[in-house]
Amino acid sequence: MNPQHSLNYDYSPWTFWDSASETERAAQDAYHKDFAERGGIDIGDRAFLSPLANIDPETLTVGADTFIAAHAYVTGTITLGDDCTVNAFSVVRGKITAGNGVRIGAHTSILGFNHSMEPSKPVFKQPLTSKGITIGDDVWIGSNVVILDGVSVGSHAVLAAGAVVTKDVPEWAIVGGNPARRIRDRRDAVIRATTDEAPFDDGMLAELAAFANAARADAPAILSTSWVPEAGGLYVDRPGAAPTVRAHCDAIEIADLLLGSVPPQLSQDEHVARLRKLQDPVTGLVPEFGSETNGVSTLAFGSGPATYHVLSVGYALDLAGSGFEHPIHAIADMNPAALVASLNALPWTKEAWESGAWVDAWGTAAYWNLAQSHPNSPGALEALFGWLQTRVNVAAGTWGTPTVDNRLKVVNGYYRLTRGTFAQFGVPVPHVERLVDTVLAHSAEPRYFASGRQNACNVLDVAHPLWLASKQTSHRQEDAKAWARTQLKQALVRWRTGEGMAFSAARESGHQALPTLQGTEMWLAIIWYLADLLGCAEALGYRPRGVHRPEPAYLLPTL
């Protein structure tokens, strides 16, 4: 027997039965029989157990064509289905049940047990607990993954290399990061494979992963620097600025994206309580700090920070597992006639952005009312979409007429309008190919998109419409990708260690060129959208879930 040849089987056991000699096969069969004599052992046909693995179970079931490679550590109550592979140096311990076709990458730890940690005695003297881990069929577990006790992994899931899996993984989900979070549905890859997408290079994947790792490492310091502990603690957009409601919401968004938790300065219940108590029960709106109503509501929907707080506070509460305490009466009480009158009165010609922002906030307020089972005025939401569908500029795919002088406001207003309506409610946008032409014409404007001239609003307000349109059409797809690739490359190098990202890349833009919570939160989302346009967002290991979430928040019945 060639020792080197035999050793290859220990590290690549799937090659054994197709190429091993009769002597080697007989030796493996004898090894299985010796194991089975211990009791509680069931080894299927054409399985391979490396003699270099430490396999010391209480009970072990190994299905047909299942392999355990060298230096794996397998102990506890273990069930592996057919066609599974436990690669070299993996740890499978505790109560573990895996289905058929499971691949476990090298150096992975699947830990179906835990220590108690009562303070009365040292940890090493604590009793063990075990809920067990269940893994479905057709699951790919990458190298260096850690799966903790009590987790269930659904069939067809993919656990990206290095993921730390602390919660259940749905079927078909791709998850990654620490703690692991959903990146996308694995079936999306099938859709992508039929669109003849240009492949992305490994260098871009490495740049994205490095950016995300740096951002995660810096997130605690960024949140801490923005926390002012005086007066019970408030968040500021940047050191030296005044506390704002949006800063608190941006802190929650950043922590959710990068840490998978609420900011550590407060408990989850404390974050929720602070934001919920800000809501004015009369209008349902949230004023800025220092403008509390003291029982007499002077808030008006459509003007001031309270309008954007419909988005920022609503989604911050949602990320923290809660929602508004009161209905947003300011729009719930608006009947279809009053809504249409308000839409007609908006300054669509001169201020398309302001008009789009109004629609964004109205649609989002209607969503929060629906999500909290608070009724909106009957027919109002249908009236909104009816008005939008009949007032869209057919030639441009926008609301308002884009010209060289006002294209910025029209495109930026388009993003705000569609974010809170078509995207948020899962309704296809109209005249999508004309929209792509309009947005790409705007994206070539060097005043806003040349290197060092970008700001977060302008880039987001192109990236999101192009991304949204890509779900309906492949029109000028390569032009959109070329723009996204250029903007992504430039954005990735703007992260400032320990500080985050500035809203603006233009040095002469004053405080907007300084790192802030707002800039950091927005650019994290922008980078995800740019990367997803290129088909490589999974390398980031995060996915927006708040204001900039890509999935619809609420699917409307057919309008």
Side-chain angles (χ1 to χ4, degrees):
M1 181 186 301
N2 183 330
Q4 183 63 43
H5 190 204
S6 177
L7 191 61
N8 286 342
Y9 296 141
D10 290 305
Y11 291 92
S12 301
W14 49 88
T15 66
F16 180 81
W17 292 104
D18 290 334
S19 59
S21 67
E22 289 300 322
T23 300
E24 290 167 331
R25 293 185 184 202
Q28 181 67 195
D29 286 337
Y31 189 58
H32 291 180
K33 289 178 182 178
D34 288 343
F35 250 106
E37 290 178 358
R38 298 170 51 179
I41 306 295
D42 186 5
I43 302 173
D45 294 339
R46 290 173 56 89
F48 179 90
L49 277 58
S50 170
L52 299 180
N54 186 345
I55 306 173
D56 187 23
E58 295 177 18
T59 64
L60 175 67
T61 298
V62 175
D65 298 291
T66 286
F67 315 121
I68 299 177
H71 306 296
Y73 181 26
V74 179
T75 180
T77 303
I78 310 297
T79 299
L80 304 174
D82 298 339
D83 298 296
C84 296
T85 301
V86 179
N87 273 287
F89 299 98
S90 289
V91 175
V92 182
R93 298 187 64 191
K95 183 179 179 182
I96 311 295
T97 301
N100 300 323
V102 175
R103 294 292 184 268
I104 301 171
H107 299 279
T108 281
S109 295
I110 302 176
L111 307 174
F113 70 98
N114 208 340
H115 276 283
S116 299
M117 59 180 93
E118 294 298 326
S120 58
K121 64 175 70 173
V123 170
F124 74 92
K125 293 184 178 180
Q126 300 275 352
L128 296 180
T129 61
S130 180
K131 299 177 182 178
I133 294 171
T134 302
I135 301 168
D137 298 328
D138 180 35
V139 173
W140 177 16
I141 302 170
S143 298
N144 291 294
V145 168
V146 177
I147 306 176
L148 299 185
D149 190 33
V151 166
S152 177
V153 179
S155 294
H156 317 295
V158 174
L159 280 53
V164 178
V165 184
T166 62
K167 297 180 180 179
D168 290 353
V169 178
E171 291 189 354
W172 294 104
I174 299 175
V175 302
N178 179 8
R181 293 179 53 194
R182 184 184 182 278
I183 296 170
R184 61 179 171 86
D185 190 293
R186 178 180 162 193
R187 289 165 291 191
D188 289 348
V190 178
I191 298 171
R192 289 182 185 276
T194 66
T195 62
D196 298 322
E197 276 194 46
F200 46 83
D201 60 79
D202 291 341
M204 177 63 78
L205 292 176
E207 289 180 50
L208 289 167
F211 167 84
N213 288 336
R216 290 188 189 94
D218 285 344
I222 292 168
L223 296 170
S224 177
T225 302
S226 299
W227 172 254
V228 180
E230 291 80 8
L234 294 169
Y235 289 94
V236 296
D237 192 38
R238 59 182 173 83
T244 63
V245 173
R246 177 167 182 171
H248 192 158
C249 300
D250 286 336
I252 289 176
E253 294 253 12
I254 292 167
D256 185 80
L257 272 177
L258 299 179
L259 305 177
S261 66
V262 296
Q265 287 73 33
L266 299 170
S267 69
Q268 181 171 329
D269 288 344
E270 288 171 328
H271 281 291
V272 168
R274 289 200 176 193
L275 293 177
R276 280 171 64 94
K277 76 176 183 180
L278 297 175
Q279 189 184 24
D280 170 33
V282 177
T283 62
L285 301 175
V286 176
E288 187 53 272
F289 294 136
S291 58
E292 288 78 6
T293 61
N294 296 320
V296 179
S297 179
T298 59
L299 294 172
F301 179 81
S303 62
T307 302
Y308 189 78
H309 292 166
V310 171
L311 281 66
S312 59
V313 177
Y315 272 107
L317 284 169
D318 187 61
L319 291 174
S322 185
F324 286 117
E325 181 178 357
H326 307 287
I328 302 178
H329 295 291
I331 72 99
D333 299 338
M334 194 180 296
N335 62 35
L339 171 60
V340 169
S342 296
L343 291 168
N344 287 332
L346 291 172
W348 293 100
T349 301
K350 293 184 177 181
E351 293 293 342
W353 182 89
E354 179 183 317
S355 303
W358 190 97
V359 173
D360 185 4
W362 198 100
T364 304
Y367 161 58
W368 295 127
N369 287 343
L370 288 169
Q372 299 295 323
S373 300
H374 300 312
N376 296 302
S377 180
L381 203 53
E382 291 80 0
L384 173 66
F385 277 97
W387 191 95
L388 294 174
Q389 293 280 10
T390 56
R391 299 304 198 281
V392 64
N393 184 320
V394 175
T398 59
W399 287 267
T401 301
T403 65
V404 173
D405 293 333
N406 77 343
R407 192 183 283 137
L408 173 68
K409 289 186 177 181
V410 170
V411 172
N412 288 10
Y414 180 94
Y415 160 69
R416 288 296 304 273
L417 183 152
T418 54
R419 193 221 69 85
T421 55
F422 293 89
Q424 190 161 234
F425 289 102
V427 178
V429 296
H431 310 296
V432 65
E433 293 187 355
R434 302 290 72 77
L435 178 276
V436 171
D437 291 338
T438 299
V439 173
L440 286 175
H442 172 57
S443 75
E445 174 54 66
R447 289 179 295 171
Y448 311 122
F449 303 107
S451 179
R453 305 303 307 167
Q454 304 97 325
N455 70 41
C457 277
N458 293 344
V459 178
L460 175 63
D461 296 358
V462 169
H464 187 274
L466 291 178
W467 180 90
L468 190 62
S470 74
K471 306 306 172 186
Q472 295 178 226
T473 182
S474 60
H475 178 62
R476 299 188 64 183
Q477 186 179 75
E478 292 309 310
D479 293 334
K481 286 184 176 181
W483 182 87
R485 188 174 290 106
T486 297
Q487 295 298 322
L488 181 59
K489 286 276 190 181
Q490 294 177 17
L492 289 175
V493 299
R494 294 197 201 108
W495 184 269
R496 299 191 195 178
T497 302
E499 297 180 287
M501 300 187 77
F503 176 83
S504 174
R507 294 183 179 181
E508 66 272 20
S509 58
H511 67 82
Q512 290 189 342
L514 300 175
T516 59
L517 291 183
Q518 179 185 349
T520 301
E521 184 275 323
M522 291 187 71
W523 280 108
L524 287 170
I526 292 163
I527 285 167
W528 185 91
Y529 276 104
L530 294 171
D532 204 57
L533 274 168
L534 298 172
C536 52
E538 57 266 30
L540 292 165
Y542 68 76
R543 185 183 186 89
R545 298 198 309 135
V547 171
H548 304 299
R549 61 178 293 158
E551 296 87 8
Y554 190 98
L555 292 176
L556 287 176
T558 303
L559 291 168

